[in-house]
Amino acid sequence: MATCVLIITLLTVKTVLSEQNPNFTFPKDFKIGAATASYQIEGAWNVDGKGVSIWDKFTHDNPERISDRSNGDDAAKSYYKYKEDIKSVKDMGMDFYRFSISWPRIMPDGLPNNINKKGIDYYNDVINEVLKNDLFPLVTMFHWDLPQYLQDLGGWLNEEIVVYFEAYAKVLYECYGDRVKWWLTLNEPGSAVMGYETDMLAPGINASGIGYYLAAHNMLKAHARAFRLYQRKYRDKQNGKISFSTPVQWATPLNQNSSDDIDAAELFMEFNVALFDDPVYSQTGDYPQKVKDRVGNFSMKQGFPKSRLPSFTKEEVEYVKGSADYYALNEYSTMLIKKADGGEDTPSMLTDAGIEVYIPTQWPQSKGSTWETIAPKSIRQIINWITHRYGKKWDIFITENGYSDKGKLQDKCRIDYLATYMVEVLKAMYIDDCPVIGYTVWSLIDNYEWADGYTSKFGLYHVDFNDEDRKRTPKQSSYFMANVTKTKRIPQEYAKLEKSLAEMETSPAYRRKATSMKDLRKVPTYNN
């Protein structure tokens, strides 16, 4: 096997799964697809009545904050080439295509008094084309491209956005709900809020320790409003399912024998995952008590008149609780976590949690993104963590997982990544009895990767960004995925692959060379 994949332990996994699933076979009804997002692929940023988004403004005003000083004005030109892209999903034999709708293409200012008919028509065409190719659409309402006009009013820091998001969702249900049966209201609220914690992501508001919580609070309420609206007015007729996608980077204690580091790793999960998920998926609702206590105590010490983390009323707790039909998971990587002092004078999410975050440089990393460590075992751990915390009532749909490189057509490393991660998903299903129902590759095509611009490529299909027509070429990984979807199996050769994360965790070498990420403003922990 390729040396790019890891420190590999050659095991005969047959001894582990012989009775349950000897061929690493997915169930017949298991859903496999590929994903994209509007700003990252469409281009046509000011065409056919589309309004300005925060990413349009951010990249135009701050090119120095993008690694190659690029923007998504043209991106992969999928606004014009959507039929070709959808055919690529079909050619791989997949079940669905996940894509997002651009809010400012539907409502140029983000408000319901001005609806852009050409935008409505465009996504009607996309959805119809998906169905024509015997796929089902999994549609994201908000994948970070907020209308700039709403940002001028405060964006996700302004509670009024909750009402405007509900109005936006209503238009989508009315126009597309007869054909769309799988919805995501928000893509990675935990990543989207970083634009209010650091100036490295749109909208670029450095409100450290304050913006993170305010934006999260309003996103959760907006999601719940969209869910309850559907439940109240549309579910009986349209019979769809709604969730939001959670970005999860697994937290591994830097020192496995340190109770402090073990506690710190759990705090990382509480602040980065449970903060967004407990209000929806837990039996009690509301934010995790540890998070409320820590942020509240540090806020008082820092001289704030109240906690920097807003509070839900009792009515809001009940309203948000249970506002999902399934659990949507985006997963790529894992981090090492160490206990640190909390409550520094400058508030931030990390100091509230009292943790230090490290990238283990001795672990294999992707060829295209410095933040992406390759740790297949982590996805199984995450799935188990979710199942144990929230119970088996929530089916888990993996809505993003993928590998970053520089755009090679012979992308063996991506194949190894996808294969080994999917093997771990199967272990979570067959050995751990976790309810996983679907898997989505990020991404269908090479696209605009936010602050990384066009320097990192996740696509199953290569896009030539130097070509005016943005020529697409299938990569080796696209043929691999076509084989997986056809057979519902991981090829037998990958049954011998097992990344020994435990070996690396106990090795002193990577601890000496670990890269500190004490300040999120230096290395943003976002995915896609």
Side-chain angles (χ1 to χ4, degrees):
M1 304 307 299
T3 56
C4 62
V5 171
L6 34 165
I7 298 172
I8 292 176
T9 304
L10 292 177
L11 295 175
T12 306
V13 185
K14 182 178 179 182
T15 60
V16 180
L17 289 181
S18 58
E19 294 182 5
Q20 300 94 331
N21 191 37
N23 294 318
F24 288 95
T25 305
F26 288 104
K28 290 183 179 180
D29 60 350
F30 190 86
K31 304 166 182 67
I32 299 176
T36 61
S38 52
Y39 183 78
Q40 295 179 266
I41 66 165
E42 284 180 0
W45 77 279
N46 59 353
V47 170
D48 290 341
K50 177 186 169 294
V52 176
S53 77
I54 58 173
W55 273 93
D56 294 324
K57 181 172 174 55
F58 182 76
T59 55
H60 293 168
D61 293 354
N62 308 282
E64 73 283 355
R65 296 181 191 174
I66 309 301
S67 61
D68 58 1
R69 301 181 66 87
S70 64
N71 56 53
D73 288 3
D74 293 315
K77 294 191 174 180
S78 288
Y79 186 74
Y80 309 102
K81 298 172 74 70
Y82 68 90
K83 290 184 179 181
E84 180 179 347
D85 292 337
I86 293 168
K87 184 178 182 299
S88 297
V89 184
K90 171 68 172 180
D91 288 346
M92 289 186 286
M94 291 180 165
D95 302 302
F96 67 92
Y97 177 40
R98 181 192 167 197
F99 64 93
S100 75
I101 291 175
S102 170
W103 192 346
R105 202 178 290 284
I106 297 292
M107 299 174 175
D109 297 324
L111 303 176
N113 65 317
N114 180 17
I115 297 176
N116 179 25
K117 184 179 184 302
K118 289 186 177 180
I120 296 290
D121 292 344
Y122 171 71
Y123 291 110
N124 264 320
D125 291 343
V126 172
I127 291 166
N128 289 337
E129 189 70 18
V130 170
L131 296 171
K132 179 181 174 182
N133 281 270
D134 298 319
L135 305 163
F136 70 83
L138 196 168
V139 178
T140 308
M141 298 180 186
F142 173 72
H143 200 126
W144 303 7
D145 47 352
L146 183 72
Q148 181 60 40
Y149 182 80
L150 290 183
Q151 182 54 47
D152 293 341
L153 298 177
W156 289 105
L157 303 182
N158 182 351
E159 190 175 9
E160 289 300 305
I161 199 171
V162 175
V163 176
Y164 295 140
F165 187 79
E166 180 186 38
Y168 169 54
K170 181 177 186 293
V171 171
L172 300 190
Y173 297 148
E174 293 279 355
C175 293
Y176 311 127
D178 59 325
R179 288 153 291 156
V180 175
K181 305 305 176 185
W182 291 85
W183 294 98
L184 293 170
T185 55
L186 309 169
N187 179 73
E188 299 189 1
S191 302
V193 297
M194 293 309 298
Y196 298 93
E197 178 84 356
T198 168
D199 59 9
M200 291 183 65
L201 300 172
I205 295 175
N206 189 353
S208 179
I210 300 172
Y212 182 90
Y213 301 121
L214 284 176
H217 195 68
N218 288 327
M219 284 185 184
L220 283 167
K221 291 197 290 186
H223 159 78
R225 286 285 285 261
F227 179 88
R228 299 301 178 193
L229 171 66
Y230 190 83
Q231 190 179 45
R232 187 171 65 251
K233 293 190 63 176
Y234 301 99
R235 187 183 299 280
D236 287 345
K237 292 182 179 179
Q238 297 182 357
N239 196 31
K241 296 178 182 293
I242 298 176
S243 186
F244 64 92
S245 64
T246 298
V248 182
Q249 291 182 313
W250 182 244
T252 298
L254 183 65
N255 184 347
Q256 291 284 317
N257 298 316
S258 166
S259 59
D260 285 342
D261 287 1
I262 293 171
D263 291 343
E266 187 59 24
L267 277 173
F268 177 92
M269 299 297 289
E270 297 253 347
F271 274 82
N272 284 272
V273 181
L275 176 76
F276 300 91
D277 288 352
D278 273 19
V280 175
Y281 298 105
S282 71
Q283 291 184 355
T284 57
D286 207 350
Y287 295 121
Q289 192 62 47
K290 289 181 182 178
V291 175
K292 291 196 294 184
D293 291 345
R294 290 183 68 91
V295 179
N297 291 337
F298 288 138
S299 296
M300 296 301 102
K301 292 178 181 178
Q302 292 158 346
F304 287 87
K306 63 177 184 177
S307 176
R308 288 176 278 107
L309 175 65
S311 299
F312 289 118
T313 65
K314 290 183 179 180
E315 292 76 16
E316 287 173 337
V317 167
E318 293 303 314
Y319 191 77
V320 175
K321 186 175 68 174
S323 59
D325 296 307
Y326 62 101
Y327 188 105
L329 167 65
N330 292 1
E331 201 278 343
Y332 292 84
S333 189
T334 190
M335 298 287 184
L336 294 172
I337 307 298
K338 181 181 184 298
K339 183 182 182 298
D341 294 332
E344 297 179 7
D345 291 339
T346 302
S348 74
M349 183 273 288
L350 281 182
T351 56
D352 286 340
I355 59 176
E356 292 183 21
V357 182
Y358 294 84
I359 295 177
T361 57
Q362 291 298 96
W363 289 6
Q365 292 186 325
S366 71
K367 304 296 184 183
S369 298
T370 57
W371 53 264
E372 187 178 28
T373 55
I374 302 171
K377 182 179 175 182
S378 66
I379 198 167
R380 180 181 178 187
Q381 294 169 314
I382 288 165
I383 291 168
N384 273 274
W385 188 88
I386 293 166
T387 301
H388 292 155
R389 190 175 183 97
Y390 303 120
K392 293 182 180 179
K393 64 175 288 188
W394 304 104
D395 287 337
I396 298 173
F397 200 135
I398 298 166
T399 44
E400 286 184 27
N401 180 236
Y403 176 88
S404 171
D405 64 12
K406 297 299 183 182
K408 294 174 61 176
L409 291 176
Q410 299 300 315
D411 55 342
K412 187 64 166 59
C413 291
R414 176 170 290 108
I415 293 172
D416 290 346
Y417 177 101
L418 296 174
T420 51
Y421 273 73
M422 283 190 282
V423 165
E424 295 299 326
V425 171
L426 284 164
K427 290 179 187 176
M429 296 167 62
Y430 285 99
I431 298 176
D432 309 328
D433 195 27
C434 296
V436 186
I437 62 171
Y439 177 86
T440 315
V441 180
W442 182 272
S443 57
L444 173 62
I445 60 175
D446 292 337
N447 53 41
Y448 186 80
E449 285 297 334
W450 310 112
D452 286 342
Y454 300 102
T455 64
S456 61
K457 310 292 174 58
F458 281 85
L460 297 171
Y461 281 70
H462 176 273
V463 176
D464 184 353
F465 291 102
N466 294 316
D467 175 31
E468 181 66 22
D469 192 47
R470 299 298 195 269
K471 180 182 177 182
R472 276 89 157 126
T473 305
K475 299 178 185 177
Q476 188 181 1
S477 59
S478 71
Y479 299 110
F480 166 79
M481 286 306 304
N483 182 57
V484 171
T485 55
K486 179 182 179 180
T487 63
K488 290 289 186 177
R489 290 174 56 181
I490 308 301
Q492 193 63 37
E493 60 184 298
Y494 290 98
K496 297 180 180 179
L497 288 181
E498 172 95 355
K499 181 175 181 179
S500 181
L501 185 60
E503 286 185 12
M504 286 182 284
E505 289 171 352
T506 57
S507 167
Y510 74 79
R511 293 201 186 105
R512 290 196 297 270
K513 297 184 179 180
T515 302
S516 176
M517 287 172 46
K518 292 177 67 174
D519 190 340
L520 278 175
R521 288 169 289 183
K522 295 177 182 177
V523 186
T525 56
Y526 70 93
N527 291 329
N528 294 289

